[in-house]
Amino acid sequence: MPKRRGLLVILSSPSGAGKSTLARRLMDWDAGMSFSVSATTRAARPGEVDGREYFFRTPEEFARMVAAGEMLEHAEVFGNRYGTPRGPVEARLADGQDVILDIDWQGGQQVRRSVLAHDVVSVFILPPSIADLESRLRGRAQDSDAVIAGRMAKSRDEISHWGEYDYVLINRELDRAAEELRTILVAERARADRQPWLSDFVRGLNEEFEAR
Ligand SMILES: Nc1ncnc2c1ncn2[C@@H]1O[C@H](COP(=O)(O)OP(=O)(O)OP(=O)(O)O)[C@@H](O)[C@H]1O
Ligand SMILES: Nc1nc2c(ncn2[C@@H]2O[C@H](COP(=O)(O)O)[C@@H](O)[C@H]2O)c(=O)[nH]1
């Protein structure tokens, strides 16, 4: 019976709106989903581990990965380079696993134009207000004031891309936003064109009709 291919779930938002938090909620809900670990040239934050949050790479190593065609997408974000390693994503999709990409709008555009476009569900996450966005970035306590100011300055531009996404949700109350995200996944998985085994199943129903 043909197996469903995995879904590529793109989450984008201005920095601090809650993508990683919502991605973790999705994986708590369905342990079969996985997170694509990006490569980046940015320095690791305290507590971040190479290969877990990111593959931390030098600019030269990152450029080599791009030149070798190893990136599904890549972009410069806040002065650093970020990219999605292609191999693990393609392998997991082919195996029927859903994969979450926490990437910016530039990466979102590239993935939607790629050969994997049919597998994509894209979700843009808005903060309830700009004041909340700033207080979340500050509350995370992982970036300097200068870095936070830079990210706030770019947030308007990121938000301007919301209309390019399949779904948009406002991450006001976390439990509610996580529930909305799960609902999107449930609906997308149930789409007829994502269940290639359905024609076999309906053939079985017809055989049952004929045997009555
Ligand atoms: N609904 C919410 N209400 C209050 N705080 C939240 C909510 N969602 C996320 N947060 C908090 O906001 C902060 C930023 O969240 P998170 O790191 O998930 O954002 P992000 O979009 O992944 O950021 P970045 O783009 O910089 O990686 C975290 O401290 C997180 O706990
Ligand atoms: N286009 C891509 N954007 C990415 C990727 N990995 C992360 N990001 C985006 O970068 C910013 C900053 O992340 P941070 O970890 O430094 O806070 C955030 O908006 C991410 O969505 C990627 O592989 N490609």
Side-chain angles (χ1 to χ4, degrees):
M1 196 174 278
K3 189 157 82 167
R4 174 178 84 83
R5 275 178 66 79
L7 283 172
L8 201 44
V9 183
I10 298 179
L11 301 182
S12 297
S13 79
S15 177
K19 297 177 294 296
S20 326
T21 308
L22 285 165
R24 279 194 295 274
R25 288 293 190 103
L26 264 190
M27 290 185 287
D28 289 345
W29 167 65
D30 180 351
M33 297 191 75
S34 63
F35 187 76
S36 162
V37 178
S38 297
T40 183
T41 61
R42 96 153 154 71
R45 294 175 179 136
E48 286 185 331
V49 175
D50 185 42
R52 189 179 67 188
E53 280 80 13
Y54 282 104
F55 296 108
F56 295 99
R57 294 293 178 257
T58 64
E60 294 73 27
E61 287 166 343
F62 193 100
R64 189 205 58 74
M65 291 176 80
V66 171
E70 292 173 19
M71 296 296 198
L72 175 59
E73 61 74 35
H74 59 93
E76 185 175 320
V77 190
F78 310 131
N80 292 300
R81 298 187 80 183
Y82 295 80
T84 304
R86 179 192 300 277
V89 170
E90 290 183 344
R92 289 184 226 162
L93 292 180
D95 192 41
Q97 287 179 44
D98 297 342
V99 181
I100 305 170
L101 302 185
D102 171 341
I103 60 178
D104 83 325
W105 66 270
Q106 304 170 84
Q109 286 189 348
Q110 292 170 45
V111 177
R112 278 192 297 270
R113 288 189 200 123
S114 77
V115 289
L116 298 179
H118 179 70
D119 300 322
V120 168
V121 180
S122 61
V123 184
F124 196 89
I125 296 155
L126 288 169
S129 70
I130 301 307
D132 279 306
L133 183 65
E134 182 162 12
S135 79
R136 285 180 192 178
L137 277 175
R138 293 198 183 285
R140 190 166 67 180
Q142 283 190 313
D143 296 305
S144 66
D145 284 354
V147 167
I148 290 174
R151 290 180 177 223
M152 287 302 295
K154 290 272 165 55
S155 64
R156 190 170 188 168
D157 183 39
E158 181 80 33
I159 288 172
S160 73
H161 293 276
W162 67 272
E164 298 165 16
Y165 287 71
D166 298 322
Y167 299 92
V168 178
L169 61 86
I170 302 172
N171 179 18
R172 184 172 282 117
E173 204 275 307
L174 184 58
D175 286 342
R176 171 109 193 241
E179 180 60 32
E180 285 176 13
L181 192 52
R182 283 195 290 271
T183 305
I184 290 168
L185 255 281
V186 169
E188 284 289 331
R189 286 173 176 174
R191 274 173 49 160
D193 62 344
R194 300 213 191 279
Q195 301 182 80
W197 52 273
L198 269 181
S199 37
D200 286 341
F201 182 78
V202 173
R203 194 171 306 120
L205 293 180
N206 284 331
E207 282 166 10
E208 206 180 326
F209 269 128
E210 281 152 24
R212 281 163 71 91

